[in-house]
Amino acid sequence: MNKRRSLLHSITAIPDNYLKINAYAQSCENMFTDVSVPEEFTIDTTSLLGFCSFNKLFYTTNPYIQTPVTLNIIGGTSKIKDFSLWLCRRSGIETINGELDFSNCTQLDRPFIYCSALKNISVKPGSIHTDFDISSTSVLTSESIESIIGGLADGESYTLKLNTNQNNTQIQSDAVSAKGWTLSGGAVQ
């Protein structure tokens, strides 16, 4: 893994658009930091046996770097324990295909920070057990908002943070409250 990480940091673009996570991988931290990534990229976790970290997996400090528009997840994310700063500053990402399961995630610090174009996301029902900040985007579809609200675990006392310009309905706001969560941001329509 370290050899691949060193290789990735020494090239300007990834030659393919597919990453298969090894069965015994423990961390993919910083694997694609400041590396151009094709517009469509797939992460395959089907072989993963233990728990793995995606902390800063696609982190970038360069606003001009190529970023995926579509990220496909194959095999689920139930074994990912850390999503902190996962897609940090990948402002071009619009769609994450595949249900995000945060059930075993212990670190969920701003995974979508500066993902201003993110529109489409699907979250496993009841899998979010900590504060969830998706406030960098204001263009989430209504279906994505519904999925995120469905992903909030019932009876938890955490905060769902939306962009202040993100349209949402009163019914959606009420659903967040009914789960015991606090809604921060959002523009009720």
Side-chain angles (χ1 to χ4, degrees):
M1 181 89 78
N2 287 335
K3 184 177 179 182
R4 178 170 168 88
R5 187 177 300 140
S6 296
L7 175 64
L8 287 173
H9 286 290
S10 67
I11 59 177
T12 57
I14 298 168
D16 58 20
N17 64 348
Y18 182 85
L19 172 67
K20 181 155 181 86
I21 307 295
N22 181 290
Y24 301 102
Q26 294 180 356
S27 178
C28 294
E29 186 171 333
N30 292 316
M31 186 173 276
F32 299 109
T33 295
D34 288 330
V35 174
S36 288
V37 179
E39 286 189 11
E40 184 164 350
F41 195 82
T42 300
I43 299 175
D44 184 346
T45 62
T46 54
S47 297
L48 189 59
L49 297 176
F51 290 101
C52 185
S53 171
F54 275 8
N55 182 18
K56 298 181 182 176
L57 178 63
F58 290 100
Y59 182 89
T60 187
T61 57
N62 182 345
Y64 304 106
I65 204 158
Q66 183 177 344
T67 191
V69 174
T70 303
L71 183 62
N72 303 305
I73 308 289
I74 300 172
T77 60
S78 66
K79 293 186 178 174
I80 308 305
K81 63 182 178 182
D82 186 352
F83 277 98
S84 297
L85 303 174
W86 178 41
L87 298 169
C88 183
R89 292 188 180 95
R90 295 295 180 154
S91 60
I93 192 159
E94 295 178 5
T95 299
I96 300 173
N97 290 321
E99 184 177 72
L100 295 173
D101 181 349
F102 298 111
S103 298
N104 293 303
C105 184
T106 57
Q107 299 293 321
L108 197 55
D109 180 30
R110 300 169 297 157
F112 309 104
I113 191 164
Y114 304 118
C115 292
S116 56
L118 185 59
K119 298 176 188 174
N120 305 297
I121 183 174
S122 176
V123 178
K124 181 179 179 180
S127 69
I128 302 173
H129 297 274
T130 187
D131 291 330
F132 193 76
D133 184 343
I134 194 153
S135 63
S136 288
T137 181
S138 64
V139 294
L140 289 167
T141 64
S142 183
E143 293 82 10
S144 294
I145 296 286
E146 291 288 334
S147 183
I148 293 166
I149 292 170
L152 305 176
D154 289 327
E156 305 271 346
S157 296
Y158 294 109
T159 300
L160 169 61
K161 187 174 182 182
L162 299 176
N163 186 291
T164 55
N165 296 316
Q166 175 64 57
N167 291 334
N168 63 298
T169 66
Q170 186 61 51
I171 293 171
Q172 291 169 332
S173 295
D174 293 344
V176 172
S177 297
K179 288 178 169 265
W181 287 65
T182 300
L183 178 62
S184 172
V188 176
Q189 300 296 308

